[in-house]
Every structure is written in structure tokens, then in C-alpha cells.
Amino acid sequence: MPCMPGIGKKSGCDEMNDVAIVGIGCTPVGEPWNKSLREIAVESTWAAMNDAGVNEVDGLVVGNMSSGNFVDQESLGSLIADYAGLGNITAFKVEGACGSGGVAFRTGVMAVASGMHDVVCVTGVEKMTDVVGDSATKILANASDREYEAVHGVTFVGLNAMVMRRYMHDYNARREDICSIPVNSHKNAVHNKNAMFRREISLDSVINSPMVADPLSLMECAPICDGAASIILTTRERAKEFTDTPIIVKGSAVKVDTIGVHDRKNVTSMTATVEAAKEAYNMAKLTPKDMDTAELHDAFSIMGVIGLEDLGFVRHGKGAHFAAEGQIGIGGKLPCCTYGGLKARGHPVGATGVYQILELTKNLRGEGVVDAQNGIAQNIGGTGSTVSVTILGRDI
Amino acid sequence: MSVPRHWRESKRRYRLLGTKCKSCKKLHYPPRTVCSSCKSRDLEEYQFKGKGNIYSYTIIRNPPEGYTFCRPYAAALVELEEGEIVTAQITDCDLDHLEIGMPVEVVIRKLFAYGESGIIVYGYKFRPILPRK
Amino acid sequence: MKTIKDIGIYGYGAYVPMYRIKNSDIARVWGNDPERVPVKEKSVPGPDEDACTIACEASKNALLRADISPQKLGTVWVGTESKPYAVKPTATIVAEYLGATPSINAADWEFACKAGTEALQGAIAYVGSGMAEYALAVGVDTAQGQPSDALEYTAAAGGAAFIMGPSEGSLAEYEGSYSFVTDTPDFWRRQHEHYPKHASRFTGVPAYFSHITNATKTLCNELQREPNDYDYVIFHQPNAKFPMAAAKMLGVDKEKVIPGLISPYIGNTYAGSAMLGLSAVLDVAKPDDLVLCVSYGSGAGSDAFSFKITDKIIEARERAPNVKSYIARRVGIDYAMYARYREKIRM
Ligand SMILES: [Zn+2]
């Protein structure tokens, strides 16, 4: 380090470690009124540590979007390490809006890959329900350009709605096809005991739900909720000390794009996803065809559609149709959002990226809902301004 | 309430004052200090004309704190005559008859106020081109 | 009164918000006869509009017609009784918006409905004395009437801006002006009150008519003219009736008042009223036409102005939207929306 971005055997990076996931844990996503941010973060951290069979780590990376606004608390590295009883370790928070979890995971991967840390815990946490009224909407809009987007009263949903409107215009896409994304997520959440909404919804109920920011309706948008998820990382070499089924981080990339949607050459594709995916596939020496499952960032129906395209599974403009055909269902060509996605599992913003990795890990360990050798997760911050793409695979 | 933050932006926000790269002529709104096209740091102020077309739009029905006084309101990506796209509200419009491509022109309006006693933040919005008799 | 230098109107601009509420609707809500109302309908500012935004657009239109750099303005003076801030000038915001800062005299003026023409007298003096080449004066209001009060039927929103400059190149030459003032408490609003109070019929003869007729007659005397010598006459328009009655008292033909009479369509825009009427006349007048404009402000006083149109008007008036197009841009709202937009529902 520093070297070409990448892990393992890329040129100049031979000295870097392969990284493995050896522990996972989370809290149920929802509205735990009687639990604080520190409580859910500590709960998930220890759940992952127990899963890995460790009682100490030498690093803690916290993924969190906006604790300062949601609960008036910063310095989460110290807070969580302190209350988890982890002592004077290396601990800090990283932030990439709703993509904070993915960014934290990437940071943890870098820490282990570089050899600077042995066993690292990545904890994504968000406590959103401590604010009341319209405050959460205002705080979420901080993911966009405050001075040139949010100041105009354009909400986060609003930005995505404009992307969706343009997408429908450019590709002549049908709203009912796009709406099949949340239908799929809800269907998959039924079996997930950690999901916020464990019930199926009909396509009609999505289409007919009230508009939040036209053409995005309420049932196309992920809920405001709380949750924490944690991952224990170590080197591939040491992984077997902790588990029989280590999951290997085959590709990991974080890319950014312009903060404002208005500065994109094309608003219907997220260049940050395209670039992060390209790098992650290269690193993993795998292609979209090798992916057995995908955790898409379906915070809004349209983001799921565009994710399918930007990750290389279908051509631009074909994502909605692909989803509507049922190809993203369990048993379909590419099972997506297998534990309910952001829409039904819930989207505690800074924790979401870690929940995705955890769910992917379950599927790859063989204890999940799909049988997968390789899987991919995409976590988006803002309306595509920070995107992380992670490719995981079995250790074979 | 952040007074300096809004004061600092006010001129650019009242007038749609952006920047122009002196080396590659690229225009920017929002204004920049490094050219987004060629990385030049030699930029000058550029006054956008304030006319454009709706590139995409939405209707905000759940506004954030401080913006409910206009609910529901339209927001859009407006493609300016000069080619740049800006995010802004569309005011004085029929929410049922907006469409992509619709010509709009800039006006100055109240964006929001910090309650009854705080400062009022003014800035650009767009409206359908005023029909002239 | 005359100026040292020859001056004239260099640019003018108007603005009227697009929302309208019918007087019959207000009458319906308060149990009054919908047939017996002072105007047909009145303009209502949108929720994101105030005296400042209206002043900005009217001033921008004036600047477009004047076709000068905003940096050449010596004043940005805004006459209004509906300042968005009780303390903090509206004029500084307008000046910044126009790009007229920082070498500028900016201030808000107050004199009920003649705050705008008071500022115009100031602008005339500023340019006429040579203190500035150009001076901008705006009359604007988003007037509020107490719910169910007689004034609620007419209190409207709108404004007009005038740029005074050298006579050479002006759209209308300034011939003279006059101000007539007495201490007459016909209408007022005390500090911290939302709505004004008025003295009912006392606002008529001793107030509006006395000041309008005195100001008109004195200026005409000074210019050795009769009121009816003018091609267009504009009086302050608190309703549809008063200006016509004043015209009758002064022997002015009805047809000379009608082109500048806009209150029947948009109500009384207070400090904007006479100036919007003057703008409507400038939209249609021909070169060499004589125009008389007389404002009235409660408290009380009248400013009278005499102008002669030049041939520059023909081209200049096309550079910005006219009063008619703003009046034609109309979206009717009911009393409930009006109550919301005008913040009559206190939350
Ligand atoms: Zn450049």
C-alpha cells in the first residue's frame, strides 16, 4: 500500500491479504422505541462477535449517516467501542450518506487487506426514529447538495422521482413494471425474522398507493427505521480459526459521482455504480453472469431497476421489464433483495450496506434462501453520489 | 438558523450567477472554483440568462421541515438555454399540466423562512414562460 | 415642482400575482350581498411571494425597458406598507437581486398607499438634481384586510417600478410634480397589528377626494393646464368607484381614466395602485400624449405627476411583459385557499 486499488493478486498488490467474513450479526429492523443507538449498535456488534466466536477485535469501523442530526451524537467509534467493552482499540465512523454501511465495510476490508489490522468489526447503525415530524425528511436531504438541491425543498424522494420520470420518458418504461421491485422485496421479507415488513404486497397496492413525489408512491419508498448490523473481518489465512464457512471478499469498490444530480451527463444511469462494479468484477475476476444473487439498493423502486442495469445484468432500459418478468424472484434467473431489500427489510440508512453484506453472507454460507457461489451487493449514498459494490464468494 | 451560509450564497441564488471556465469555456451552475471539465482553476463569474426547459420534474407532496407552506409544489431539473441543468422549484404552475420539455423562465421567490422570527431565504425558482399579450 | 435638469421616465415595469379571489366569494363567506361588492375580484400573492419578490420582478421589468446597467442606478427605493421584515430593508434585497449594489442608496419608504409615489418624488429629485443619472422607485404591496372588514374585498397584491433618468432618451418626459399633505387619520395600522383600521366614510370626502383634487388642481395650475387637457389620467384606485368620482369632480372625461383603471380586475394594490395604473397607460399611450398620475396615501397625502410620452415608448414597452398580460394570467382560488395563502389561519 498504496497500490492499484484492489485486493490480493493485482500487480503491485501481492503483499495484500485476502479478506474473509467470519462473523455476522444484526438487530431486527424496525422501530425499537425503547432502545437507543448505542444499544442496538452494541447488540449487533456482539451478535457478530459471538457468531465469529471472538471476544475482542482490534478495530471497529462504524458506518453511520447522520447520528449528529438524528440523535445529536457524534464520535460513534468511541461510543460503540466503549459501550461494547472493546477497550482502547482503533475505532471511528465513516460516512457516505445512505451508503455509509458499504463504505464502512470497504474501510474494514482495507484495514485487514493492508495488514494493519487482524480482526476488524464493521458495524453499520442508524437510529432514525428519535426525531419527529418532518425532521427525518430534512436530515435525509443532507445526502444531496444542501445549497443547490435541498435548499430548494427538493427531498431525497423528489430527486429519485425526477430520475424515475426521466427514465420512464427516455425508455418508455411502464410504471407497473418498475413497481414490481417493491413487490419482490416484500415477498422475500416474509421469511426474514429481522425484516420490518414481513408481508406480501400486491402490484395494485403499490401502483395505487399515495404519491410521495410523483411518480414515486409511498409503497415504492423504503421506510424510516432503526437498525444495526455487524460483520467480523479477518484474513483468509486466519478465517478457519473462527469458522468452517468463511466467505471471501472477492471484490470491493467505492466510487463517487457528482453530489448534485443536475451535474450528471445522464441521470438514468449511476456512473458511480458502473465504475464501482467494473472495478469489483475486475478484482474478483468474475462477470455479471457469475453472480447467483444480488442485493440491490432498492430504497426507491427505480433505484432497483437502474441497479440491475448498472451492475451489468441487463441492458439500459431493460431493468423494469426484467424485474416484472419475475427474473429477480427467488427461483428466478437472478434472485434479488432476498431478505426483503431496503423496501421490506427496512432501510436504517447507515446500517443498510452492512445488512446487505450480512444477507449475502448467509446465502453464500448455505444457510440462506438461495444457493449461491458468488453474490453482489450494491449500496448507494445519495442519489448515486457514493456507491459501493461488493462481491462475495465461497472459499473454494 | 445559519445566517452567514445563506448570506454567502445570496447573490448567486438571487441571480443564477454561475461560473465560466476561462480555459475550456465550460459553464457551471452551481458555481465552482475548479472546472468540472478541465480542472482549470481560472474561472470567472457567468450570468445565466434564466431561460430553459424542464428536463424532469416531480411534485413534492411530503416536504421537509420549513417547506410545507407551499405544499404540494413542483420541483424540476431545468435544462438552461446554455446547456447546464439546475435543480429548482417550478412555481405559478398547474401541477397537472407540467411536462418534460416545457419552457420555463427564472423568477425570484421565497424559498423558506426560519419560522416567524428568523430570516427569509430568497432564491430562484422557475415558472412557465409568462404568456405575453 | 420642477427639477434643475430635464428628466423623464427611462423604464417602467409591473408585476401582479396570478391568483384571484372573487369579491362574491368573500361576500358569501361573511354573509354579505355578493352583488354589492367594490371590485370584481382581487389579486392574491402566492405562498412564495411577498412585497420583496414582487418588487424584484417589477424592477427587473423596468430595468429591461430602461436597457441600462443596474450599476448605473443611484437609488433602489421601495415604497410599501407590507415589508417582509419590520426592520431590515426590502430595498437591499431588491438591489442585490438586480445587481445594483454596492454603490447605491437603498431604502424602504412608508406612506400608506402613496409610499411608492413618495419614493418616485425622491427619485425625481435625485436625478433632477444631478445626484444620480438614474434612480429606481418601486411601489408595491401585498395588502391585508381584516377578515370580514370592508377592506378585505379590495386589499390586493402587485407593484410597479419606475426608473427616472435623463429626459434625452426617456419614454416619457417629466413635466412637473406636486405633493399635497395634511394630518388626516383616515386609515392606519398600529405597530405589531396584523390588520389596518379605517375610519369608514371619513376615508372619502375629507381624505381621498380632498387630497386628490387639491393635488391635481395645484399641479395643473402650476403647468397652466386643465385636468381634462390630459390624454390619460390615473388616480389612486382603492376601489372601482372612487377614481371615477374624482374624475367627475375634476371634469376629466371617463374614457381618459379607464385605460389606467385596473382596480376592478385586481383590487387595490395600495402602494402599487397608481403606479400600476400609470404602467398600464404607458403600455398603450402614443408619443406626445399627456399623462397625469395622482396617488393617494392615507394619513394623508397625494402626489401628482405630469408626463409627456416620447416616441421611445414604442420600442421600450415591448422589452417586458405589460400589465394586461399579468392581469390575464389568472388562476381563481376560493376563500379557503386565500385564507391559507394570506396566512389568515394562524398556526
Ligand atoms: Zn475548463
Side-chain angles (χ1 to χ4, degrees):
Chain A
M1 297 278 272
C3 64
M4 295 277 290
I7 305 162
K9 308 298 177 251
K10 266 193 145 177
S11 66
C13 297
D14 288 350
E15 75 279 16
M16 286 180 62
N17 300 310
D18 279 353
V19 181
I21 294 170
V22 295
I24 56 175
C26 70
T27 66
V29 177
E31 297 172 312
W33 301 114
N34 60 349
K35 286 186 183 172
S36 65
L37 180 145
R38 77 183 70 180
E39 285 172 306
I40 58 174
V42 168
E43 189 179 325
S44 83
T45 300
W46 270 102
M49 286 169 62
N50 285 339
D51 186 50
V54 299
N55 65 4
E56 58 181 10
V57 292
D58 69 332
L60 170 71
V61 183
V62 180
N64 171 268
M65 170 174 168
S66 210
S67 59
N69 288 303
F70 282 124
V71 297
D72 292 347
Q73 177 72 61
E74 300 292 10
S75 207
L76 294 193
S78 158
L79 178 81
I80 297 166
D82 179 8
Y83 274 77
L86 299 178
N88 304 99
I89 59 164
T90 303
F92 48 80
K93 157 178 165 173
V94 294
E95 186 272 319
C98 320
S100 298
V103 174
F105 180 77
R106 160 78 176 190
T107 309
V109 169
M110 292 196 294
V112 173
S114 68
M116 291 184 79
H117 287 273
D118 283 331
V119 182
V120 167
C121 177
V122 176
T123 292
V125 59
E126 205 77 54
K127 179 78 189 171
M128 304 171 77
T129 60
D130 276 359
V131 296
V132 293
D134 317 320
S135 306
T137 309
K138 184 184 173 189
I139 296 165
L140 287 173
N142 291 349
S144 65
D145 186 333
R146 172 53 64 184
E147 304 296 11
Y148 294 98
E149 293 182 314
V151 78
H152 293 285
V154 183
T155 57
F156 196 40
V157 192
L159 289 168
N160 285 279
M162 293 196 284
V163 168
M164 178 162 164
R165 169 103 52 197
R166 189 70 204 187
Y167 182 94
M168 290 165 71
H169 176 267
D170 286 357
Y171 295 114
N172 212 8
R174 304 188 323 161
R175 185 167 164 250
E176 52 265 47
D177 289 348
I178 298 171
C179 287
S180 60
I181 294 278
V183 172
N184 173 67
S185 293
H186 270 261
K187 193 174 180 186
N188 294 347
V190 174
H191 64 79
N192 179 5
K193 65 177 173 39
N194 291 317
M196 184 167 180
F197 300 127
R198 301 183 65 187
R199 59 186 164 79
E200 291 196 41
I201 53 171
S202 69
L203 184 60
D204 275 354
S205 70
V206 178
I207 292 168
N208 297 321
S209 70
M211 285 292 164
V212 179
D214 316 31
L216 272 174
S217 69
L218 185 64
M219 301 283 266
E220 293 172 76
C221 306
I224 283 167
C225 52
D226 308 332
S230 302
I231 303 283
I232 307 296
L233 296 171
T234 189
T235 59
R236 190 178 201 162
E237 282 71 32
R238 289 196 59 190
K240 289 280 157 116
E241 296 172 30
F242 306 99
T243 177
D244 294 334
T245 52
I247 299 305
I248 307 305
V249 181
K250 294 194 166 175
S252 159
V254 174
K255 296 290 169 189
V256 296
D257 199 351
T258 61
I259 181 83
V261 173
H262 47 236
D263 276 322
R264 311 268 168 84
K265 282 184 186 70
N266 175 9
V267 303
T268 61
S269 165
M270 290 174 187
T271 308
T273 303
V274 173
E275 292 299 319
K278 198 197 286 175
E279 188 171 300
Y281 285 130
N282 277 345
M283 230 180 266
K285 298 193 174 70
L286 295 169
T287 69
K289 284 195 178 61
D290 301 314
M291 298 301 118
D292 303 313
T293 178
E295 290 304 322
L296 303 172
H297 190 97
D298 62 331
F300 306 100
S301 55
I302 186 64
M303 280 179 131
V305 168
I306 293 177
L308 283 168
E309 301 171 7
D310 289 342
L311 291 172
F313 297 116
V314 286
R315 278 190 295 125
H316 289 294
K318 301 291 178 199
H321 186 64
F322 183 79
E325 274 184 325
Q327 307 280 21
I328 62 169
I330 291 169
K333 213 177 195 175
L334 181 77
C336 292
C337 305
T338 57
Y339 281 80
L342 282 63
K343 174 65 190 78
R345 172 234 298 129
H347 182 27
V349 284
T352 291
V354 186
Y355 274 98
Q356 293 178 314
I357 306 283
L358 173 146
E359 291 156 359
L360 210 48
T361 302
K362 282 187 182 176
N363 282 332
L364 292 163
R365 280 178 175 180
E367 58 194 48
V369 291
V370 296
D371 184 33
Q373 296 289 322
N374 295 299
I376 190 165
Q378 172 219 28
N379 186 205
I380 305 178
T383 307
S385 47
T386 303
V387 178
S388 61
V389 172
T390 307
I391 295 172
L392 304 182
R394 289 186 183 175
D395 189 15
I396 30 176
Chain B
M1 172 171 63
S2 174
V3 174
R5 231 186 71 209
H6 295 295
W7 167 78
R8 197 177 299 125
E9 296 299 324
S10 59
K11 222 167 50 163
R12 310 189 270 231
R13 226 177 245 160
Y14 292 173
R15 278 187 245 155
L16 209 60
L17 201 57
T19 48
K20 180 181 182 179
C21 174
K22 284 184 176 174
S23 12
C24 78
K25 311 293 176 218
K26 162 93 178 147
L27 303 176
H28 324 98
Y29 197 92
R32 291 176 178 266
T33 53
V34 178
C35 177
S36 55
S37 179
C38 75
K39 295 181 191 168
S40 162
R41 273 168 282 176
D42 194 12
L43 276 57
E44 60 187 357
E45 271 188 354
Y46 178 82
Q47 176 62 62
F48 283 87
K49 289 192 194 75
K51 290 221 158 62
N53 299 85
I54 293 179
Y55 183 79
S56 190
Y57 70 95
T58 182
I59 295 157
I60 307 283
R61 298 182 191 275
N62 287 35
E65 213 175 354
Y67 291 82
T68 43
F69 70 103
C70 280
R71 173 171 61 195
Y73 52 87
L77 295 169
V78 173
E79 187 168 20
L80 300 171
E81 256 177 21
E82 292 91 342
E84 299 308 301
I85 294 180
V86 297
T87 303
Q89 281 185 37
I90 306 293
T91 188
D92 289 2
C93 65
D94 179 350
L95 295 180
D96 298 327
H97 288 93
L98 292 169
E99 53 185 46
I100 288 176
M102 182 185 226
V104 289
E105 62 190 357
V106 77
V107 291
I108 181 170
R109 291 297 168 92
K110 248 188 314 193
L111 296 181
F112 71 100
Y114 285 95
E116 293 267 297
S117 59
I119 58 160
I120 303 165
V121 177
Y122 295 96
Y124 53 86
K125 292 188 182 183
F126 287 78
R127 71 167 173 219
I129 302 259
L130 190 75
R132 307 209 176 172
K133 279 225 157 172
Chain C
M1 298 187 289
K2 293 208 175 181
T3 51
I4 299 165
K5 294 182 137 192
D6 288 338
I7 65 160
I9 298 172
Y10 223 81
Y12 72 98
Y15 181 78
V16 180
M18 74 172 189
Y19 298 104
R20 304 281 184 276
I21 180 166
K22 284 189 190 306
N23 264 205
S24 57
D25 197 26
I26 300 173
R28 179 185 62 80
V29 169
W30 297 113
N32 289 323
D33 184 353
E35 301 295 320
R36 294 187 55 205
V37 289
V39 296
K40 193 171 138 264
E41 54 185 20
K42 66 168 190 172
S43 63
V44 179
D48 60 356
E49 295 185 293
D50 61 18
C52 178
T53 63
I54 294 173
C56 284
E57 180 153 347
S59 301
K60 189 184 173 191
N61 285 337
L63 207 52
L64 284 170
R65 288 205 173 97
D67 199 19
I68 57 164
S69 155
Q71 285 291 319
K72 286 192 165 178
L73 292 173
T75 72
V76 172
W77 285 339
V78 180
T80 179
E81 60 125 88
S82 30
K83 286 159 61 77
Y85 290 91
V87 177
K88 195 222 164 295
T90 310
T92 54
I93 303 167
V94 178
E96 196 73 82
Y97 165 73
L98 294 174
T101 55
S103 298
I104 190 90
N105 189 309
D108 292 0
W109 297 51
E110 195 278 319
F111 196 142
C113 296
K114 86 171 190 79
T117 55
E118 191 69 47
L120 186 61
Q121 286 283 37
I124 286 166
Y126 223 69
V127 176
S129 67
M131 282 182 73
E133 201 179 357
Y134 302 96
L136 172 71
V138 192
V140 56
D141 265 312
T142 54
Q144 286 270 31
Q146 183 149 22
S148 94
D149 184 83
L151 292 182
E152 193 189 15
Y153 293 83
T154 50
F162 286 80
I163 294 172
M164 301 306 296
S167 176
E168 180 74 38
S170 70
L171 327 175
E173 289 164 7
Y174 165 86
E175 294 189 316
S177 55
Y178 172 73
S179 292
F180 180 91
V181 166
T182 68
D183 180 19
T184 307
D186 58 327
F187 165 104
W188 62 89
R189 176 160 60 82
R190 293 281 298 276
Q191 191 78 276
H192 308 307
E193 286 292 302
H194 279 299
Y195 301 111
K197 298 280 181 205
H198 58 91
S200 189
R201 286 182 58 77
F202 181 69
T203 58
V205 174
Y208 179 87
F209 293 107
S210 162
H211 293 78
I212 290 255
T213 53
N214 272 304
T216 306
K217 284 176 190 163
T218 311
L219 180 63
C220 285
N221 275 342
E222 280 183 12
L223 296 169
Q224 294 172 337
R225 276 209 196 109
E226 289 299 321
N228 205 34
D229 290 345
Y230 283 90
D231 299 289
Y232 294 98
V233 179
I234 302 105
F235 296 122
H236 170 59
Q237 304 160 21
N239 50 42
K241 254 192 248 164
F242 273 28
M244 298 312 285
K248 202 170 171 190
M249 286 177 191
L250 291 161
V252 175
D253 297 342
K254 220 162 74 170
E255 309 75 68
K256 299 181 173 178
V257 181
I258 285 169
L261 187 65
I262 54 172
S263 59
Y265 319 107
I266 62 166
N268 178 7
T269 57
Y270 284 49
S273 178
M275 293 170 83
L276 266 169
L278 176 57
S279 303
V281 163
L282 293 177
D283 284 341
V284 296
K286 298 182 303 298
D288 295 329
D289 279 349
L290 296 176
V291 178
L292 174 70
C293 176
V294 188
S295 67
Y296 172 72
S298 288
S302 278
D303 301 317
F305 304 87
S306 178
F307 299 106
K308 187 180 178 188
I309 307 292
T310 75
D311 53 9
K312 291 273 189 297
I313 191 84
I314 306 293
E315 206 190 315
R317 66 165 61 123
E318 299 306 321
R319 289 200 280 264
N322 60 19
V323 176
K324 264 211 173 100
S325 37
Y326 282 113
I327 292 177
R329 189 183 68 132
R330 178 200 173 280
V331 172
I333 57 172
D334 62 9
Y335 197 91
M337 284 308 283
Y338 156 76
R340 179 187 161 187
Y341 285 179
R342 298 282 36 221
E343 293 174 327
K344 286 181 190 295
I345 305 165
R346 309 299 302 177
M347 292 190 281

